[in-house]
Amino acid sequence: MTTTAHDTEGQLAEPRLPAKLAAHPSVQAVLARREAGGAASPPLVIDAEWLRELCLAAGADDAAAVSLDHPDLAGEREHAQAALPGTRTLIAMAVRMNRDNCRSPARSVANQEFHQTDEQANHAARTVTRALQDAGYRALNPSVGFPQEMDRFPRERIWVVAHKTVAVAAGLGVMGLHRNVIHPKFGSFVLLVTVLVDAEVSEYGQALDYNPCIDCKLCVAACPVGAIAKDGAFDALACTTHNYREFMSGFTDWAQTVADSEDAADYRSRVTDSESASMWQSLSSPPGYKSGYCLAVCPAGEDVLGPYLDDRKTFMDTVLRPLQDKKETLYVLPGSHAQEYAQRRFPHKPVKEVTGGWQPPAKRSASTDRETRTS
Ligand code: B12
Ligand code: SF4
């Protein structure tokens, strides 16, 4: 066991080490480095300007720090402390996405943009974490999106830190009607990431004093399963059931369908060739979102707003309409508001009932999985 000695003036001296440990080459190297003054403690408070420059150089387009004591982060505290005991500050970063990639009805284009930005944001956060570690701090970067804590699924939240909550408290933006954070300049076209660190920062970000959302409600019109209500209510289950068809919950439902199928012909009567191919693609490359249209059509943000202000009709015809017109299967829970909404508002889009994979399946007939297109 290590004991701490006091010298004659009562100062804290090097801990006394057991002889065997003290003789170890690594221990001797560390002690020698200390004696040479090469391992000074890092400053107690991180310089905010240094930190911001570090984040921007690492690939972030905007960054700000917020104390874990911020009242709006009360719900994040236990999660942050569990991930990195001793966390004092959260560093929020935003990384821009290319707008027209996100808006493309070719979802492969949009998904590539989401995943590339996701990677860039993870890379930026990891670079910042490394620099903080090298400066002598404890730091940690939870993933931008996936992987998440699937051992908690589906009962508890699976994300380590809620990046939106942190970004809003740090002043990087405000949640719009569509519940994504809108950056005042870059609009909705940002992904967010957070770095946890065990030190304070000399200056913290301030929450924006206005919401960049202009309340145009294009996100309401774009969502194919009615997940966003005009009053701001958000139907997370409707969104997840469709948009995450090829993520953990939709995959579980699909696996159940495979298990329930009597033979190949029965499977092919429940799942189209295109759906099988799409599921394969999501399993072999990063999984594909089915929608994200709410974010794609959002005109908010100083860099984005111009074309919408210039000519709203053209903006709707070229950004909103192509996504509304796209023929694509929509996934809904039976009897849900999403099902009724999708059939009524988007009669040209086939609607398919699925369990969502949230709970063990009731015994189903093959017809349950068939398209229930009406009107
Ligand atoms: C869970 C989650 C989802 C869920 C729930 C969405 C939501 N609004 O919270 C689903 C699957 C629906 C989803 C979809 C999308 N997401 Co998402 N998602 C997350 C995640 C992991 C946590 C979100 C969070 O903090 N929620 C808590 C609070 C802050 O959110 P809230 O809106 O106030 O509360 C709602 C939800 O929490 C929900 N809820 C509560 N408990 C649970 C449990 C489960 C299992 C589910 C599904 C939902 C849920 O109900 C609340 C009431 O509406 C973050 C990544 C992260 N680690 O932070 C990304 C994140 C929020 N997603 C993001 C994106 C881009 C999307 C999509 C556009 C993906 C896509 N390409 O299609 C869509 C947009 C849908 C939308 N309009 O919100 C970005 C947002 C970037 C931004 N500018 O704000 C984030 C921050 C990822 C990132 N690192 O950038 N997402
Ligand atoms: S699309 Fe319009 S209403 Fe929806 S979040 Fe963006 S600005 Fe707000």
Side-chain angles (χ1 to χ4, degrees), residues 339-340 342-344 346-351 371-375:
Q339 182 176 39
E340 183 278 320
Q343 289 170 340
R344 178 165 47 83
F346 299 100
H348 55 290
K349 298 188 192 239
V351 174
E371 287 168 4
T372 57
R373 189 180 163 183
T374 55
S375 66

Side-chain angles (χ1 to χ4, degrees), residues 25-371:
S26 304
V27 176
Q28 291 193 341
V30 171
L31 296 180
R33 208 192 293 168
R34 273 191 201 161
E35 232 175 84
S41 305
L44 285 179
V45 176
I46 299 171
D47 180 65
E49 203 41 49
W50 174 82
L51 182 63
R52 186 175 158 75
E53 287 306 318
L54 175 67
C55 295
L56 299 187
D61 290 295
D62 198 2
V66 57
S67 168
L68 188 58
D69 292 334
H70 191 293
D72 294 351
L73 297 181
E76 291 305 307
R77 238 162 262 153
E78 67 166 302
H79 299 286
Q81 292 295 359
L84 180 74
T87 300
R88 307 282 290 276
T89 295
L90 303 179
I91 304 158
M93 290 189 263
V95 177
R96 281 188 301 156
M97 290 187 283
N98 294 328
R99 296 191 284 274
D100 281 310
N101 283 349
C102 295
R103 291 166 176 163
S104 173
R107 285 288 93 188
S108 60
V109 175
N111 277 312
Q112 151 124 297
E113 183 62 32
F114 283 121
H115 292 305
Q116 291 275 327
T117 312
D118 191 294
E119 242 175 67
Q120 193 188 330
N122 273 326
H123 178 79
R126 185 171 178 273
T127 304
V128 170
T129 299
R130 170 68 59 85
L132 289 168
Q133 174 184 290
D134 289 349
Y137 302 103
R138 286 191 72 188
L140 172 141
N141 60 300
S143 71
V144 172
F146 293 90
Q148 296 184 47
E149 300 300 298
M150 290 305 166
D151 57 321
R152 299 180 192 159
F153 179 81
R155 282 163 299 280
E156 298 165 56
R157 85 177 211 178
I158 54 176
W159 51 95
V160 173
V161 168
H163 301 307
K164 284 193 293 183
T165 311
V166 176
V168 171
L172 292 192
V174 178
M175 273 204 266
L177 190 68
H178 57 8
R179 300 206 71 80
N180 292 295
V181 171
I182 306 180
H183 186 278
K185 198 165 176 314
F186 312 134
S188 292
F189 297 90
V190 286
L191 291 187
L192 306 170
V193 69
T194 310
V195 172
L196 284 55
V197 63
D198 69 346
E200 286 172 18
V201 174
S202 60
E203 200 181 332
Y204 289 122
Q206 296 297 317
L208 277 191
D209 58 5
Y210 70 100
N211 190 333
C213 173
I214 56 165
D215 207 26
C216 65
K217 306 204 192 309
L218 292 191
C219 48
V220 178
C223 179
V225 290
I228 303 165
K230 283 185 186 155
D231 64 1
F234 181 64
D235 185 346
L237 205 55
C239 176
T240 310
T241 303
H242 175 60
N243 200 25
Y244 272 38
R245 175 63 192 157
E246 291 165 7
F247 289 67
M248 59 282 181
S249 45
F251 167 79
T252 304
D253 177 76
W254 174 80
Q256 287 167 189
T257 305
V258 173
D260 281 354
S261 299
E262 283 165 24
D263 53 23
D266 185 29
Y267 169 79
R268 292 180 89 128
S269 77
R270 298 169 188 240
V271 182
T272 66
D273 287 353
S274 130
E275 288 177 306
S276 292
S278 188
M279 187 60 85
W280 164 79
Q281 180 164 266
S282 283
L283 293 173
S284 58
S285 47
Y289 300 99
K290 290 289 177 196
S291 180
Y293 295 173
C294 53
L295 183 149
V297 300
C298 180
E302 289 160 30
D303 286 359
V304 190
L305 200 52
Y308 176 80
L309 296 180
D310 292 345
D311 185 348
R312 274 181 275 171
K313 185 178 178 310
T314 301
F315 188 88
M316 309 247 266
D317 286 348
T318 57
V319 175
L320 174 67
R321 211 75 72 204
L323 297 172
Q324 289 180 319
D325 290 347
K326 184 179 161 88
K327 289 197 179 67
E328 59 187 335
T329 301
L330 304 178
Y331 298 93
V332 298
L333 297 173
S336 59
H337 167 260
Q339 182 176 39
E340 183 278 320
Y341 182 92
Q343 289 170 340
R344 178 165 47 83
R345 293 293 301 269
F346 299 100
H348 55 290
K349 298 188 192 239
V351 174
K352 194 163 188 172
E353 288 182 354
V354 293
T355 68
W358 294 103
Q359 58 247 330
K363 276 278 171 211
R364 305 183 297 184
S365 66
S367 64
T368 314
D369 266 341
R370 293 207 185 96
E371 287 168 4

